[in-house]
Amino acid sequence: MRKTYLLVATMLLACLSYKSYAQIPRIPEASSTQTIIQDFGLGKITVTYSRPNVKDRKIFGSIIPWGEVWRTGANAATTITFTEKVLVEGHSVPAGTYSFFSIPEKNEWTIILNKVVKQWGAYSYKQSEDFLRFVIKPIRVSEKRETFTMAFANTTTKATDLYLVWDKTAAMIHLETDDDAKITANIDELMKGDRKPYYFNAIQYYYENNKDVDKALGWVYEAEKIDPKGPWYKLWKSRLLLRKGDKPGAIAAAEEGIALSKASKDDEYARLNKEALDHAKD
């Protein structure tokens, strides 16, 4: 019985503790925090930053003075994490987490990756701790962005663009993967076993990265034997044959893909094969 009382008392205390924690008053930050994560090649890119608002103020050249180091957001300095080695505007950057500072000017921005993370603002920033500096060109945009925004766009298996947009100013940083050799080795290793689960991705990667056309076509022919009614393989067959210069073969593959798509009522691949057909006929 005593054990039962102790158990009940412990549960009551746990409930009270949770209730007390849940009722702690909170005040929202004026500049909300956002974390964006982008799958990139074999890894990921993670950006954590705070998002100030314009609030009827003049931003660049005033609140954010020209020529001074900016935390690229508000509150704590922005951070960017790469789980794999990447190329940032052509510069090789090892996997790791970096503070992300910038120096806005009217006609150019200096972007800084600093080795010291967990900095508040730019107050303790030291140039001697920089890992990388490079210059990009800002652009004027017509639509005002009230809240400072960082976002990825134009993302492929090999490249992506990171946009910084606030008020009527935008800047773009181009990033590329540096893992083609590793991905190709992974594909070769996977293709030594049961190939069926990997045909589609391997074919697509080879096509989108301008790799060995004949090797990718060989996988298409193998995949067609396993999945003869798959309109997706006809699509890649058409695209690869056209790249190889075989227009009649590309047209025939796309037409077969359209027929298979209609038979299976697959509107998406009917459209994609029709696009491949039109491209082959140009």
Side-chain angles (χ1 to χ4, degrees), residues 139-157:
I139 59 172
R140 185 78 174 168
V141 294
S142 57
E143 184 179 347
K144 176 182 175 181
R145 182 66 59 91
E146 172 66 24
T147 305
F148 176 56
T149 300
M150 299 179 72
F152 292 100
N154 310 316
T155 302
T156 67
T157 56

Side-chain angles (χ1 to χ4, degrees), residues 19 27 31 36 52 108 132-133 142 150 229 252 256:
K19 186 176 180 182
I27 302 174
S31 299
I36 56 174
E108 66 179 30
L132 174 67
R133 281 185 170 216
S142 57
M150 299 179 72
K229 294 185 178 180
E256 190 175 356

